[in-house]
Amino acid sequence: MLSTVVIRELRHNFLSLRFSLALLITVLVFGFGTVAFMKKYSARMDQYTKYQNELERAAQQTAGSNFTQLAVKKQDFIMKPRKDSFISSSWENHIPNSIQFSAYNVFGFESRAGSSNPYLNLTQELEWSFIVSIILSFTMLMLSFDSISGEKEAHTLALSLTNSVSRGTLLMGKFLATVMTSMVMLVAGICLSLIMLLVSGTFDVSLSIMGEVLGFIFFSGVFLASIAACGLFSSVIVKNSDLSLLIALVLWVLFVVIVPNSAIFWSQNIFPIDTSDAVNEKVQSARDALEKSGREGRWQMIFEQPFYPFHEVRADHQTNLMNSEMQLRNAYYHDMFRQLERARLLTLISPVSQYQYLCEAVVGGGFLRFQSVWNGLHVYQAQFLAFFKEKDAQDTGSPHWYNPYEDVSTTRKPVNFGEIPVFNEKPVSFGERFTFARTYFVVIVLYTAVVFFLTFALFVKYDVR
């Protein structure tokens, strides 16, 4: 009986003008988004490759003259444009993509604009996750807002229930048919996008990316099911399709606009952290305290004599300054990360936000990727410092006074650049992605179940006459 209801509802959906228009719009947007991605990705990769080559040449020249200069030099690690960002960019154009480090420390991060006009980057790209979370979610509500109230007004709802069909079966049939209808539109758009990527040569058919595509389809189905439940809820809570449409639109605005944007305001007030100016003041205060207690001769410097005795005192003082600042800034960065995680918890009322976080886990991008790179660079920095000290120990003429900011008091010899450890970003592991997605997946499933149960409870008492 359930299959009969599903087939009937699918036939009704596929023959409707709303479905035809929604399918056309979905496919066109997927196509336009794919074209935009291919052009932007090519430009970003060219810029990234050029900049990386310049960094490598500069590092080679420095290492070939004086290894200490390279060890104390602040270098930039630029995060490579992701090839799977057509699925979801995970807001990577709004988060830091450059991290500064040396052999002694990982200093901080910043955003580097990838365009000659950074204001052109303020718009949302037509990636798959955006199309599903905005366009398909709106389409789903338009397909389901009058599933019950519309049939009541057309006097077909009572007729449907006279054919030995229980209310639960009818409601479930409408729910499944709506989800399946949306999945047809989604798969059609994905197929077009993949064909365009394959033909252009931008897309490599690898197991990892195909796994991400399948994961995206799965989570999209879960998300669209939650939207379908909300659409049915708006249809059964009132008996007029116009009011159902109004409720559906209010829910959509709440999910897409109000909750995600207000969470930033609430997190800043509920979970406040120090401003960057306040942190700079703390750093300066700690520096002043160290200056007062510093040893005599700590600022004496003779560059012509790199192993000048007072350089040992200077190196110790510089190390103390670095450690003091590093402790304060690392605590500040930890607070920033924690505040972001708490802000995300405030958005769990919105299935759109939950879905965006799930997409972030699927592609291993966004904040999840940034944290992986940030932690990986800290591990690499320790390895780089250990390698530098090993090379310095081999120089019998070096006094081994480690100064984190100046190229004095350690080895002056060159080093083979090929021997130096290099940091290579590793993809976020499946375990990390699973752990990150687990909470959001459980919440969105429970969310869908609760909304559907409320819909069913209301439909049981619904006056179909």
Side-chain angles (χ1 to χ4, degrees):
M1 188 63 69
L2 178 61
S3 60
T4 303
V5 176
V6 172
I7 293 173
R8 188 195 70 182
E9 293 295 326
L10 283 174
R11 186 184 299 113
H12 175 266
N13 288 341
F14 291 156
L15 293 177
S16 67
L17 179 61
R18 275 185 285 184
F19 171 77
S20 300
L21 290 175
L23 178 62
L24 177 62
I25 293 172
T26 300
V27 172
L28 286 176
V29 173
F30 265 98
F32 285 131
T34 303
V35 172
F37 163 76
M38 290 187 292
K39 292 192 174 185
K40 286 188 175 182
Y41 177 77
S42 178
R44 288 170 180 170
M45 276 303 300
D46 289 343
Q47 186 181 40
Y48 170 81
T49 302
K50 178 181 177 180
Y51 189 74
Q52 283 296 108
N53 290 337
E54 292 175 354
L55 288 178
E56 185 172 344
R57 282 195 297 269
Q60 286 179 342
Q61 292 176 357
T62 305
S65 61
N66 184 337
F67 192 18
T68 293
Q69 288 182 357
L70 182 63
V72 301
K73 181 181 179 181
K74 291 183 178 180
Q75 303 181 59
D76 292 312
F77 175 79
I78 309 297
M79 296 172 68
K80 185 177 181 180
R82 285 193 297 105
K83 204 166 191 176
D84 58 358
S85 59
F86 61 89
I87 299 176
S88 174
S89 65
S90 304
W91 304 286
E92 288 185 6
N93 54 330
H94 298 297
I95 63 176
N97 62 346
S98 174
I99 302 177
Q100 199 172 56
F101 69 97
S102 73
Y104 290 91
N105 190 14
V106 179
F107 295 95
F109 45 79
E110 63 180 357
S111 297
R112 288 182 175 268
S115 170
S116 57
N117 185 355
Y119 293 102
L120 296 179
N121 291 329
L122 297 178
T123 56
Q124 176 67 52
E125 298 180 6
L126 291 177
E127 60 203 33
W128 289 6
S129 62
F130 174 78
I131 296 172
V132 174
S133 61
I134 304 299
I135 297 176
L136 270 180
S137 68
F138 184 79
T139 300
M140 285 285 290
L141 290 176
M142 293 303 99
L143 288 174
S144 57
F145 78 91
D146 61 348
S147 295
I148 304 299
S149 57
E151 279 207 43
K152 181 183 184 303
E153 291 179 333
H155 304 292
T156 58
L157 184 59
L159 181 62
S160 298
L161 291 173
T162 60
N163 297 324
S164 302
V165 178
S166 67
R167 296 196 177 200
T169 300
L170 180 63
L171 188 66
M172 179 59 72
K174 288 180 176 292
F175 173 74
L176 294 177
T178 304
V179 175
M180 293 170 68
T181 301
S182 66
M183 293 302 292
V184 169
M185 292 187 285
L186 173 64
V187 172
I190 287 177
C191 289
L192 174 64
S193 182
L194 290 179
I195 290 172
M196 294 173 66
L197 290 168
L198 287 169
V199 171
S200 69
T202 305
F203 181 75
D204 295 329
V205 183
S206 63
L207 290 177
S208 61
I209 292 185
M210 289 307 299
E212 291 175 0
V213 171
L214 293 176
F216 172 79
I217 294 174
F218 173 75
F219 285 132
S220 296
V222 175
F223 164 68
L224 292 172
S226 69
I227 298 298
C230 292
L232 289 173
F233 177 77
S234 66
S235 180
V236 79
I237 197 172
V238 293
K239 297 178 175 60
N240 182 282
S241 59
D242 291 336
L243 288 176
S244 295
L245 176 59
L246 179 60
I247 293 173
L249 291 175
V250 169
L251 289 175
W252 188 80
V253 172
L254 177 69
F255 295 155
V256 174
V257 180
I258 298 177
V259 171
N261 289 283
S262 63
I264 298 175
F265 168 78
W266 289 113
S267 64
Q268 290 175 339
N269 286 273
I270 299 175
F271 314 114
I273 63 174
D274 289 336
T275 63
S276 58
D277 290 338
V279 175
N280 289 335
E281 290 178 2
K282 290 182 180 180
V283 170
Q284 187 59 48
S285 297
R287 184 183 183 91
D288 292 342
L290 287 173
E291 289 292 348
K292 291 179 180 179
S293 61
R295 295 164 59 187
E296 184 179 353
R298 60 187 177 278
W299 288 118
Q300 291 192 36
M301 166 68 78
I302 301 179
F303 283 103
E304 294 77 12
Q305 300 180 32
F307 302 152
Y308 180 60
F310 274 105
H311 287 179
E312 181 180 9
V313 179
R314 187 181 181 96
D316 289 340
H317 187 64
Q318 293 279 47
T319 299
N320 291 335
L321 290 175
M322 182 195 70
N323 290 335
S324 174
E325 180 175 358
M326 181 171 59
Q327 182 179 6
L328 291 169
R329 295 202 181 278
N330 284 345
Y332 175 54
Y333 297 145
H334 178 269
D335 289 342
M336 292 174 64
F337 300 155
R338 183 61 177 162
Q339 186 185 48
L340 175 60
E341 292 169 352
R342 289 173 172 175
R344 291 188 167 193
L345 293 177
L346 296 176
T347 64
L348 291 184
I349 191 175
S350 167
V352 173
S353 296
Q354 298 168 28
Y355 172 66
Q356 291 287 358
Y357 304 149
L358 289 173
C359 289
E360 185 177 338
V362 166
V363 299
F367 179 61
L368 179 61
R369 178 193 182 194
F370 174 81
Q371 275 196 312
S372 177
V373 173
W374 177 257
N375 295 331
L377 263 176
H378 280 80
V379 174
Y380 165 75
Q381 176 264 314
Q383 296 172 345
F384 188 12
L385 181 59
F387 176 78
F388 170 65
K389 289 185 175 182
E390 178 184 345
K391 287 297 182 181
D392 181 65
Q394 295 173 4
D395 183 359
T396 56
S398 169
H400 317 306
W401 304 328
Y402 297 104
N403 186 325
Y405 294 118
E406 298 160 338
D407 60 335
V408 294
S409 67
T410 46
T411 182
R412 316 294 292 170
K413 293 184 177 180
V415 67
N416 184 356
F417 185 76
E419 298 179 24
I420 302 175
V422 177
F423 176 72
N424 294 310
E425 179 185 354
K426 296 180 180 179
V428 180
S429 68
F430 175 79
E432 291 174 307
R433 299 186 196 195
F434 174 80
T435 301
F436 183 83
R438 180 175 52 198
T439 300
Y440 304 117
F441 177 73
V442 171
V443 170
I444 198 170
V445 170
L446 290 176
Y447 184 96
T448 305
V450 169
V451 174
F452 186 82
F453 175 79
L454 290 175
T455 303
F456 174 73
L458 291 171
F459 188 50
V460 168
K461 300 178 181 179
Y462 195 84
D463 184 4
V464 300
R465 294 172 296 176

